[in-house]
Amino acid sequence: MAIYSYKTEPLLDFTDPLVLKKYEEGLKVVEGYLGETYPLIINGEFVETNNVYTSVNPAKHSEVIGKIHQASIKNAEDAMNAALTAFETWRKVKASIRADVLFKAAAIIRKRKYEFSALMTKEAGKPWPEADADTAEAIDFLEYYGRQMLELEETDKKTLSRRNMERNEFKYIPLGVAAVITPWNFPLAILAGMTCAAVVAGNTVLLKPAITTQVIGYKFMEVLHEAGLPKGVVNFIPGDGPEIGEYMVDHPKTRFISFTGSKTVGQLIYHNASKVNEGQIWLKRVIAEMGGKDAILVDNDADLELAAESIVKATFGFSGQKCSACSRAIIHEDVYDEVLANVIKQTKELTIGDPSNFKNFMGPLTDQKAYDKVSSYIEIGKTEGNLVVGGDGSDKEGWFINPTIFADCAHDARIMTEEIFGPVLAIAKVKSFEEGIKVANNTIYGLTGAVISRNREHLEMAREDFHVGNLYFNRKCTGAIVGYQPFGGFNMSGTDSKAGGPDYLQLHMQAKTVSEML
């Protein structure tokens, strides 16, 4: 099948007045359906329940985004049966046809780009550039995984057969029913990537989106339907995480779990998935990404303006609610004071408020639970470091925490080692680059990191010894691009499943060899 080569979706140019106008129009489209009610989707049918969750704008509690019916255990079982039935046919559909569904879905999202981005601004609290990047990444995942599946279909061409003796065949086949549990912080990109990686590989899906961004998940289901995905291939069952999520993970017919979320939940999933339940005939596979405690290390021979800019953008972009966000700045003592002063200056210039207003760089936290957690860590920080910026917030109208910086932190302080997932930066001083590497590695996580340095020897040292799945030199530690920087981390950051990479789809499949004697 002829298909154009993979190319990343261009980001919007927000200096263009036409782009600003179209984004405003996208917001108006979303405002036109605020407060609507959304059902479950099981086997292509709309299902209503007695339990409805109300999704609100995290920047303005009083604004209802939508009301979403929540699945019960009975609904989850119905979804499993639908997925099992659909799998018997979907697994035999040609890879080229499955890929076409992804390509069509990408085209639909591209046409609805401003609407999807605006919906993320409303439901997830994403500022315009962050929401646009999320939408673009969703398109990239669809385009990339579709092509990866087409390449995997060619694997057999590399398999050898013995002349006049045998014909050998090697191919990848799908696993079965996937439990896909997605996060709220990239409510379109990661949801689309996790779901469609499973789908294009020939699996069927039970999809449980994060509770605070379920309307976005429903709108993605609209895209899959329009793209021609058969009923039952993806079943939309939003619901309570401990109840529905645990049921999906424990079910003996669940073949694998794809999860992005917190370390605590990820560990529980990994533990529960390891158990072989009655009626289960396989060992479940787990694909997990569980967060990080990411650091930017600044050398004494570095572009100090770049260092400060990278730290501020990577820390406070989307209010620090990224698993890749910088939450630690480790700075050589020779340049510590200068970098710290510049970071403070740039941070104080940030604008905070409702992300529906383009002028606001930083928006709210996702919900009250997140607000309370980050607030508690700020109180811890006040006992562990020197508060130089922020340290306060308000949950009166929305869940807002001001950009917060603690300087002069001990290397083993809690705010230097534990994931906070908010706009809080801990800064520590080191006497040497070698010490900086040790401090950077002094955490149970290993997702992203960055080094700002002109010293080639130090960069090569970091290449070998900075133990993270995604390491960046002379740039910020956020913003991995699909197909260019495959994303996934070490240690308690997950299973190092590289989303957006050349070996990601194989995690959703199993290899089969067939040999015929001639």
Side-chain angles (χ1 to χ4, degrees), residues 59-75:
K60 185 164 48 175
H61 306 156
S62 59
E63 185 171 71
V64 174
I65 305 301
K67 299 179 179 179
I68 310 95
H69 286 270
Q70 303 297 284
S72 65
I73 296 297
K74 166 87 168 48
N75 298 134

Side-chain angles (χ1 to χ4, degrees), residues 272-511:
N272 289 348
S274 70
K275 301 174 184 177
V276 178
N277 295 311
E278 184 177 353
Q280 184 176 322
I281 61 172
W282 44 59
L283 299 177
K284 292 173 184 172
R285 192 174 296 180
V286 176
I287 305 165
E289 197 274 280
M290 306 190 306
K293 186 65 179 176
D294 313 301
I296 293 181
L297 172 58
V298 182
D299 201 1
N300 61 349
D301 181 10
D303 182 334
L304 303 188
E305 182 66 28
L306 172 64
E309 180 183 342
S310 299
I311 291 168
V312 171
K313 288 185 176 179
T315 301
F316 301 116
F318 190 38
S319 305
Q321 297 175 116
K322 302 178 184 179
C323 51
S324 59
C326 172
S327 59
R328 297 180 293 159
I330 302 166
I331 305 172
H332 195 289
E333 63 180 6
D334 292 350
V335 297
Y336 183 87
D337 291 341
E338 183 176 350
V339 175
L340 174 60
N342 200 352
V343 168
I344 292 172
K345 176 179 178 293
Q346 291 188 32
T347 301
K348 288 182 176 180
E349 294 171 352
L350 298 178
T351 51
I352 301 95
D354 189 337
S356 293
N357 184 340
F358 172 68
K359 295 180 180 180
N360 289 325
F361 172 82
M362 210 178 89
L365 298 184
T366 188
D367 60 10
Q368 188 69 50
K369 182 179 178 181
Y371 179 89
D372 292 343
K373 176 186 175 183
V374 174
S375 296
S376 69
Y377 268 103
I378 288 175
E379 293 307 307
I380 292 169
K382 290 176 181 178
T383 68
E384 292 186 330
N386 177 21
L387 177 64
V388 293
V389 178
D392 57 352
S394 173
D395 59 355
K396 185 177 180 180
E397 295 184 3
W399 294 292
F400 290 97
I401 294 283
N402 287 317
T404 298
I405 299 175
F406 292 100
D408 309 325
C409 296
H411 298 167
D412 60 352
R414 289 184 63 186
I415 59 171
M416 280 287 292
T417 57
E418 298 177 14
E419 185 177 44
I420 300 173
F421 223 69
V424 179
L425 175 67
I427 302 181
K429 182 188 298 184
V430 291
K431 295 180 180 180
S432 67
F433 188 81
E434 292 81 357
E435 184 183 25
I437 293 290
K438 291 180 180 178
V439 174
N441 289 336
N442 184 34
T443 173
I444 62 174
Y445 298 99
L447 187 52
T448 75
V451 175
I452 312 296
S453 177
R454 296 189 182 98
N455 187 315
R456 175 51 56 182
E457 182 180 351
H458 286 174
L459 292 177
E460 294 308 312
M461 182 189 303
R463 192 187 302 271
E464 293 298 320
D465 297 334
F466 199 150
H467 195 63
V468 291
N470 283 66
L471 179 62
Y472 303 99
F473 292 159
N474 293 311
R475 53 155 285 186
K476 60 189 178 71
C477 58
T478 58
I481 301 172
V482 174
Y484 290 77
Q485 292 108 20
F487 186 81
F490 303 150
N491 299 343
M492 283 299 168
S493 287
T495 56
D496 192 31
S497 48
K498 288 293 189 180
D503 62 352
Y504 187 68
L505 289 190
Q506 286 98 316
L507 299 174
H508 304 72
M509 309 177 80
Q510 53 194 348

Side-chain angles (χ1 to χ4, degrees), residues 30 33 65 115-124 216 219:
V30 173
Y33 56 72
I65 305 301
E115 178 197 348
F116 269 106
S117 295
L119 179 55
M120 283 187 278
T121 293
K122 285 289 189 179
E123 190 176 33
I216 296 166
K219 291 296 178 181

Side-chain angles (χ1 to χ4, degrees), residues 3 13 58 132 260:
I3 189 71
D13 178 7
D132 172 53
T260 297

